[in-house]
Amino acid sequence: MFENLSERLSGVFDRLTKQGALSEEDVKTALREVRVALLEADVSLPVARDFVKKVQEQATGQAVTKSVTPGQQVVKIVHDALVDVLRGDGDPGKLKVDDPPAPILMVGLQGGGKTTTTAKIAKRLKEKDGKRVLMASLDVYRPAAMDQLAVLGAQIGVDTLPIVPGQKPVDIARRAKQQAALGGYDVYMLDTAGRLHIDQALMQEVEDVRNVVEPRETLLVVDGLTGQVAVEVAEEFDAKIGITGVVLTRMDGDGRGGAALSMRAVTGKPIRFVGTGEKMDALETFEPERIAGRILG
Ligand code: GDP
């Protein structure tokens, strides 16, 4: 479907392969292609524009090393610049869960993969970090979602807070906090309710829960295939709730990963994990190089 950016750039530079330095004009021509490719990969226009400007400044006047073609050199400059934007501070896979019981708040829209990701992260914390984890569903509007978390918990051998019908989300959060302390858990994860769209009631509810538990991590789970929508959702949740990181799901699909770039550029928040399937093991620590490669094609 997409023409590969690397190929495209090689095409642009074919006529230049015998020349020695990148002129401003050459770089401009190449970067027009980069911009189109970024937009096709679902990077937002302002982010694509800023990115291209930055690369233009870096690339112009750079001598082309003898061992590579100008096309390869621009691809490398673009690749490195992508990685630079995508990389956050520190290790994305290392959650702040010292200080037991450490609360992790999971937020996002309905259908983004929040419940699945909660269980995937719980499994990872248990198996990789040896943590005792308690999960609790705060989705009082969809009893099926509460059952879903309990089923996943049983499947991965992680405890879930017993369901008490009729309890409000903040009360469930309080109960989870209490149970986590009494039960000697290292971490407790709260799977909040999602909605189809962001609304005031949802935000208020998540805010109330946040105030009760004071989470160490607030992870936003968004469908990586929704591109711009994912970025808008992230901005909104960050402004209202304050997030500490993002999990992009459905990265096993054929999306080009552009949402990741916009997400980083717009919110400044680190991408911590990517979901790569429905199974409980299908969670990877975010690797900027991999997404950069995917955007470049
Ligand atoms: P929630 O409403 O945000 O809690 O979403 P769910 O966790 O219920 O996920 C909705 C659907 O997406 C389920 O069928 C999941 O199995 C699926 N899903 C979640 N994460 C991924 C992922 O990374 N890749 C794929 N292919 N499917 C996913």
Side-chain angles (χ1 to χ4, degrees):
M1 179 167 60
F2 300 101
E3 196 188 350
N4 176 319
L5 178 59
S6 307
E7 277 168 20
R8 238 185 227 183
L9 286 177
S10 309
V12 170
F13 279 98
D14 266 357
R15 59 190 174 83
L16 298 169
T17 42
K18 288 177 197 69
Q19 297 179 16
L22 299 176
S23 77
E24 199 176 334
E25 205 41 51
D26 300 337
V27 171
K28 264 196 185 145
T29 313
L31 290 183
R32 263 199 292 277
E33 296 294 325
V34 172
R35 201 169 85 134
V36 172
L38 290 178
L39 296 176
E40 279 180 3
D42 217 357
V43 175
S44 71
L45 184 59
V47 171
R49 210 183 270 148
D50 279 1
F51 178 81
V52 162
K53 202 169 144 224
K54 181 177 156 192
V55 174
Q56 177 145 10
E57 283 159 11
Q58 281 173 8
T60 303
Q62 254 198 33
V64 177
T65 9
K66 290 232 159 47
S67 55
V68 295
T69 66
Q72 287 167 334
Q73 180 136 344
V74 174
V75 170
K76 183 177 183 325
I77 293 168
V78 171
H79 175 271
D80 293 350
L82 283 172
V83 170
D84 203 41
V85 175
L86 288 166
R87 192 188 302 282
D89 295 334
D91 178 355
K94 197 162 168 33
L95 297 171
K96 286 199 196 72
V97 289
D98 312 327
D99 231 357
I104 300 181
L105 191 60
M106 304 294 292
V107 301
L109 295 185
Q110 189 178 312
K114 194 162 12 72
T115 301
T116 312
T117 305
T118 301
K120 285 177 178 177
I121 292 178
K123 183 172 192 282
R124 185 189 156 103
L125 285 169
K126 175 189 163 197
E127 290 175 2
K128 281 212 165 128
D129 306 316
K131 301 285 184 194
R132 275 197 75 209
V133 184
L134 176 70
M135 303 190 291
S137 172
L138 273 48
D139 196 345
V140 296
Y141 314 97
R142 293 190 311 146
M146 297 187 126
D147 294 339
Q148 185 193 348
L149 190 69
V151 168
L152 292 175
Q155 190 184 320
I156 59 175
V158 168
D159 292 341
T160 46
L161 189 74
I163 298 168
V164 177
Q167 239 182 1
K168 289 200 189 98
V170 270
D171 296 325
I172 303 174
R174 276 199 194 96
R175 190 156 57 88
K177 184 178 178 176
Q178 218 169 29
Q179 179 59 33
L182 289 173
Y185 290 92
D186 300 307
V187 179
Y188 64 105
M189 303 184 69
L190 302 177
D191 182 17
T192 60
R195 302 265 207 284
L196 290 176
H197 305 281
I198 287 180
D199 64 44
Q200 188 49 39
L202 167 73
M203 284 300 178
Q204 190 58 53
E205 183 180 300
V206 179
E207 213 177 309
D208 292 345
V209 169
R210 181 202 63 193
N211 293 343
V212 165
V213 301
E214 297 174 9
R216 298 301 313 279
E217 298 276 3
T218 300
L219 302 178
L220 173 74
V221 181
V222 280
D223 182 340
L225 295 181
T226 59
Q228 278 322 293
V229 174
V231 178
E232 281 159 27
V233 168
E235 273 188 287
E236 199 122 357
F237 269 96
D238 193 33
K240 300 249 167 67
I241 312 294
I243 58 175
T244 59
V246 177
V247 181
L248 287 179
T249 61
R250 301 214 173 79
M251 296 302 277
D252 47 315
D254 56 5
R256 293 295 298 269
L261 188 73
S262 301
M263 191 70 83
R264 276 289 300 150
V266 172
T267 67
K269 296 294 150 115
I271 298 163
R272 311 293 287 268
F273 299 104
V274 296
T276 55
E278 303 200 23
K279 298 236 168 70
M280 287 294 103
D281 284 326
L283 183 78
E284 294 172 7
T285 304
F286 176 68
E287 282 178 33
E289 284 82 6
R290 209 180 275 183
I291 301 285
R294 196 157 161 165
I295 293 173
L296 277 170

